[in-house]
Amino acid sequence: MNIIKTFNFNQWDTTVDSSVRDEVIDALEHGHVIALPQLEFKLLPEEQKFLSPDWADKKSKNISLRPRAGGVSGLKGAIGSEADLSAIQAMIQRYADQSLQLISAILPSYMPNLTIANTSFRPLEVETRASSYRKDDTRLHSDAFPSNPTQGTRLLRVFNNVNPYGKPRVWRVGEPFDKMAEAYLPKTKALLPMQAWLMKQLHITKRTRTEYDHRMLQLHDQLKADMHYQQHAPQQSVNFMPGTTWIVYSDQVLHAAMAGQYMMEQTFSLPANALKWPETAPLKVLEKMLNKPLINSR
Ligand SMILES: [Fe+2]
């Protein structure tokens, strides 16, 4: 099976027939990566200078725009004039705006329930020597974050490779989420009643970790720890060339970033119930397998 589904849209505000929109949403929700090799994010001449790792603070790796907080984070403190700061912010904001235009054009049914999350520019090379296996994104995983529980909302991401030297962003993508979960979910543990409360009180988590988040995190960690799985599980390698946009549910598609530098990324979140096919959401897949609700407050 080819996990990559390619379309030829070449404008962020493209107009698309409803039959093509159906193809996009069906493929995306069933765990495909939507690749748009002709949808370039164009940098202005004066933005070319931002294509350097020197702009990023090495700790945060991403230069990010947070919609609620405002302003950019992750810039190296000493670098840049006020004019540079507003120019880099404008570049990242333009990517956020165009990503939203794209979603509204090809996935219009998401719009009433879509939340705009962070927008990032990653000028650093993919890190091949992570400090721990859990942080090693060259290992196949679906996204789950220890301090940032999603409580079952989907992570929809729009990426673009802006590399000026012709270098691809190289990913590996793995087997369908439910196949992985069938093997690994039985090895995960339930969340202890006091555990979530305590993590929230101690500010280890930004909001309450649900059992869904707890299981997703264990799947993430177990998969990354299993080198046999990493090498032998069904997978394909894909090169996203410069000028390519790709859209993926990163909480569902098993992915690993192998190489590349200079990438834009927009994150959206969406409740599982707002999908066309809610049963494909990791929340629903895990609830069905465990035969119980994994989010308390529903
Ligand atoms: Fe990831």
Side-chain angles (χ1 to χ4, degrees), residues 30-291:
H30 287 92
H32 289 267
V33 177
I34 305 298
L36 310 174
Q38 294 173 41
L39 190 59
E40 185 185 1
F41 177 62
K42 289 197 181 77
L43 298 193
L44 305 173
E46 59 270 29
E47 290 169 346
Q48 300 292 332
K49 67 176 175 189
F50 297 131
L51 296 173
S52 156
D54 293 343
W55 292 89
D57 159 5
K58 296 286 180 291
K59 259 190 233 155
S60 49
K61 298 177 205 167
N62 292 325
I63 300 172
S64 300
L65 198 62
R66 293 169 210 272
R68 272 180 294 268
V72 285
S73 63
L75 274 171
K76 205 185 251 180
I79 280 189
S81 61
E82 278 297 311
D84 284 339
L85 292 185
S86 51
I88 205 165
Q89 180 165 349
M91 177 182 90
I92 301 172
Q93 183 64 55
R94 193 170 71 253
Y95 187 71
D97 295 344
Q98 295 189 337
S99 297
L100 186 61
Q101 268 185 333
L102 176 68
I103 298 301
S104 125
I106 66 176
L107 295 157
S109 64
Y110 285 177
M111 292 306 281
N113 299 296
L114 199 69
T115 301
I116 301 167
N118 289 356
T119 318
S120 299
F121 168 49
R122 296 190 189 187
L124 300 184
E125 191 101 46
V126 163
E127 196 167 1
T128 48
R129 277 171 296 178
S131 53
S132 83
Y133 76 90
R134 287 189 178 88
K135 290 184 182 162
D136 184 356
D137 286 337
T138 67
R139 302 185 189 202
L140 287 165
H141 66 282
S142 49
D143 285 346
F145 307 104
S147 64
N148 204 359
T150 65
Q151 302 182 329
T153 61
R154 306 301 314 276
L155 287 171
L156 179 63
R157 293 193 150 150
V158 180
F159 297 96
N160 187 286
N161 182 358
V162 289
N163 190 289
Y165 309 112
K167 277 196 183 167
R169 191 101 189 158
V170 183
W171 272 23
R172 290 185 294 142
V173 287
E175 65 182 336
F177 181 85
D178 54 348
K179 290 273 175 295
M180 176 278 291
E182 271 168 26
Y184 286 87
L185 188 61
K187 301 175 200 172
T188 62
K189 297 188 182 80
L191 185 66
L192 300 173
M194 287 297 283
Q195 215 174 342
W197 179 83
L198 197 61
M199 283 188 288
K200 180 78 186 351
Q201 294 304 307
L202 297 174
H203 303 287
I204 294 169
T205 53
K206 290 180 189 163
R207 56 190 82 79
T208 306
R209 187 183 289 183
T210 63
E211 184 167 347
Y212 167 75
D213 294 296
H214 193 61
R215 302 268 188 183
M216 286 292 279
L217 205 53
Q218 291 174 79
L219 292 175
H220 170 275
D221 291 354
Q222 285 181 12
L223 224 56
K224 281 188 173 177
D226 187 341
M227 287 315 284
H228 187 268
Y229 183 87
Q230 291 295 328
Q231 284 160 13
H232 301 288
Q235 57 191 280
Q236 73 185 95
S237 180
V238 51
N239 286 0
F240 298 107
M241 297 310 289
T244 300
T245 299
W246 64 106
I247 309 172
V248 58
Y249 273 119
S250 65
D251 53 349
Q252 175 179 9
V253 173
L254 303 181
H255 60 282
M258 307 311 292
Q261 187 176 13
Y262 305 118
M263 184 181 72
M264 305 300 300
E265 174 184 333
Q266 173 66 51
T267 301
F268 296 103
S269 66
L270 188 77
N273 285 327
L275 299 178
K276 179 179 176 189
W277 306 99
E279 67 274 21
T280 62
L283 173 64
K284 309 289 181 181
V285 170
L286 301 189
E287 285 184 335
K288 193 174 171 199
M289 286 180 184
L290 292 167
N291 197 23

